[in-house]
Structures are given as structure tokens and as C-alpha cells.
Amino acid sequence: MTTLNAHTFASRDDAEAHYLALIDNAAAAARHIDPTLAEVYREKLTEAKAGGGPLLKAEAKALGTDADTVRNAVLRNHHRWQQHINRIELARITAKAAVRNAATAAAMHRIYHEFKEAL
């Protein structure tokens, strides 16, 4: 845990910039997906939106289910992920606004930690 004292930041603006960057970094980490997996998910989503494809058929075969079940799962998971991303973005915007309105570095510190805990 960081200890705040009168010498931690040279100015309120320095503290604000610091905490705004921490909030952005925490949001980015919460939204991160391995790039290779992200590409596979994009391909599966493209196939699911098109009504099917070889990747979804192969997954269905491997799972011992039908392609429509896999297609629906891909669409459902994509919708859930979008909701997750939207919640993170709303929390990020709200936290950054609160930091900009905070009077002290200690208040900014509290806002940042509440944001991280909410993720």
C-alpha cells in the first residue's frame, strides 16, 4: 500500500495525472485478452454471425454437440463480454471524473482503489 504524505506529489495536478493513468492501466488490464485468443474469438464470432463455419463445426464435433449449440454459445459469450467491457468503461469514466473533482491526493488514492476493487 502506498503511503501518501506531503512530498508524494509535487502538486495536485501531478497527483491527478498519476491516478488518471493508474485508472486507465487498471481498466486496460481488466479488458485484456491474449492476442491469439482474441483472433480466434473474432473468427468464431464472424462464423457465428454468418450462421456457421468450419471452426464452429470442428468445435461442435470436438465437444460432441451440434453446430447450432456452439454458434449460440459464441454469440452469448460475445454479448456477455461486451457487457463486461461496457461496465469497465463506465466505471473508468466515472472514476476519472471523480479523480478530477477530488480535492486531495488522498481522495484520489481512495477513488483509484475503490475502482480497482470494483473491477
Side-chain angles (χ1 to χ4, degrees):
M1 179 77 106
T2 305
T3 301
L4 293 175
N5 61 45
H7 305 290
T8 302
F9 300 102
S11 69
R12 187 208 164 280
D13 289 345
D14 288 346
E16 180 179 307
H18 173 76
Y19 286 106
L20 292 176
L22 287 178
I23 288 167
D24 283 338
N25 290 339
R31 292 185 303 247
H32 178 75
I33 297 178
D34 175 79
T36 303
L37 282 177
E39 182 57 32
V40 170
Y41 294 157
R42 273 191 291 276
E43 288 180 35
K44 287 170 67 172
L45 180 61
T46 299
E47 287 187 12
K49 287 180 176 180
L55 191 57
L56 297 182
K57 287 179 186 175
E59 185 171 336
K61 183 176 180 183
L63 295 174
T65 189
D66 62 284
D68 278 340
T69 300
V70 173
R71 178 181 173 272
N72 290 332
V74 168
L75 293 171
R76 197 171 40 254
N77 288 340
H78 175 71
H79 179 72
R80 285 184 192 140
W81 180 251
Q82 290 306 118
Q83 289 177 321
H84 174 72
I85 296 295
N86 292 340
R87 280 191 299 273
I88 292 169
E89 182 61 10
L90 180 59
R92 184 187 75 82
I93 290 167
T94 303
K96 287 179 78 169
V99 164
R100 288 185 182 102
N101 291 323
T104 66
M108 294 175 199
H109 182 80
R110 178 187 50 76
I111 293 162
Y112 165 67
H113 282 281
E114 288 172 358
F115 169 73
K116 276 203 64 163
E117 287 176 20
L119 294 179

